[in-house]
């Protein structure tokens, strides 16, 4: 059974960097069959795709966040991570990690439970 | 960006009702359209991929149709556990985008 689990601070100060890690079990981030994604959801609002990483390290980011986002993969720990710099209150959201099928129809088939990150001083 | 527009934004229905939600893309996306269900406090769950393919374990009362720019999610007979918010999502563009969501509430 594939499982993803987000971890990281729930509170980040404005202008600082948000850092989250997604630990994957039941699959390998090195498999090459999937993309590993981050998606966020502000309280009471809809879903926004942040970006994804492939096992090779290649990435694709949402242009609206590209200047502030870094996604990395650690194959030795079977994890991938998100860094979002210069955060503001608008970055307050539930952050999800998700597995995206890497070929064909490219849908998100497994999601983590989500972690709420609040940006506040 | 490919904009995804869902209608309606919310609807009220009763158990047993047939429910239809539409999703329109701002340009043709072939069949690269997926549907998710989200319940409060939970992660989205994949229901349908490639416009009309039911994800494993999803009840057959859910169905999807459409191609190009216009898509539909249908729940043939609404069950109590189906009250939730539904999102469409396109995977045609490298910039993945979601619809704004449709909340299905009890009448």
């Amino acid at each position: 059974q594939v499982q993803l689990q987000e971890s990281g601070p729930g509170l980040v100060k404005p202008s600082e960097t948000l850092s989250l890690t997604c630990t994957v079990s039941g699959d390998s981030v090195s498999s090459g069959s999937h993309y590993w994604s981050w998606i966020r959801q502000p309280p009471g609002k809809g879903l926004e795709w942040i970006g994804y990483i492939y096992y090779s390290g290649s990435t694709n980011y949402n242009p609206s966040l590209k200047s502030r986002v870094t996604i990395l993969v650690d194959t030795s720990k079977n994890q991938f991570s998100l860094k979002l710099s210069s955060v503001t209150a608008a970055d307050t959201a539930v952050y999800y990690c998700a597995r995206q099928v890497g070929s064909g129809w490219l849908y998100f088939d497994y999601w983590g439970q989500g972690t709420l990150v609040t940006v506040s001083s | 960006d490919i904009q995804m527009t869902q209608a309606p934004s919310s609807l009220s229905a009763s158990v047993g009702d047939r429910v239809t939600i539409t999703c329109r893309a701002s340009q043709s996306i072939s069949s690269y359209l997926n549907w998710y269900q989200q319940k409060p406090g939970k992660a989205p769950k994949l229901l349908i991929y490639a416009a009309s393919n039911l994800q494993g374990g999803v009840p057959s009362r859910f169905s999807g149709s459409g191609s190009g720019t216009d898509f539909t999610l249908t729940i043939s007979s609404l069950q109590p556990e189906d009250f939730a918010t539904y999102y469409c999502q396109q995977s045609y563009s490298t910039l993945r985008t979601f619809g704004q969501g449709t909340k299905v509430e009890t009448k």
Side-chain angles (χ1 to χ4, degrees), chain A residues 21-102:
Chain A
T21 297
C22 183
T23 301
V24 179
S25 58
D27 192 7
S28 170
V29 298
S30 305
S31 69
S33 300
H34 301 94
Y35 297 104
W36 303 96
S37 295
W38 288 97
I39 295 159
R40 70 180 183 177
Q41 184 172 37
K45 296 189 178 180
L47 298 160
E48 179 181 34
W49 174 76
I50 299 171
Y52 67 67
I53 191 164
Y54 194 49
Y55 80 103
S56 62
S58 65
T59 54
N60 183 29
Y61 299 141
N62 189 321
S64 68
L65 299 169
K66 188 173 184 177
S67 64
R68 299 193 291 129
V69 171
T70 303
I71 298 176
L72 299 173
V73 66
D74 186 338
T75 55
S76 67
K77 295 182 179 179
N78 214 32
Q79 297 175 334
F80 62 106
S81 63
L82 169 70
K83 293 188 185 299
L84 182 66
S85 63
S86 304
V87 297
T88 69
D91 296 309
T92 293
V94 175
Y95 286 77
Y96 295 100
C97 57
R99 187 182 85 166
Q100 180 183 344
V101 171

Side-chain angles (χ1 to χ4, degrees), chain B residues 31-97:
Chain B
S31 295
Y32 287 87
L33 190 284
N34 311 306
W35 289 98
Y36 302 85
Q37 175 194 66
Q38 186 179 35
K39 297 181 179 179
K42 300 294 187 182
K45 171 188 172 184
L46 176 68
L47 296 177
I48 288 171
Y49 64 93
S52 60
N53 292 272
L54 202 64
Q55 174 70 344
V58 174
S60 59
R61 62 181 179 272
F62 291 93
S63 64
S65 64
S67 66
T69 59
D70 294 313
F71 301 87
T72 300
L73 172 69
T74 300
I75 309 172
S76 61
S77 178
L78 194 68
Q79 297 302 299
E81 60 269 30
D82 301 336
F83 292 100
T85 300
Y86 294 84
Y87 293 93
C88 62
Q89 176 250 327
Q90 63 80 18
S91 51
Y92 181 85
S93 164
T94 54
L95 172 52
R96 316 295 189 218
T97 49

Side-chain angles (χ1 to χ4, degrees), chain B residues 7-8 11 18-22 71-75 102:
Chain B
L11 64 89
R18 182 180 181 88
V19 170
T20 299
I21 299 169
T22 64
F71 301 87
T72 300
L73 172 69
T74 300
I75 309 172
T102 296

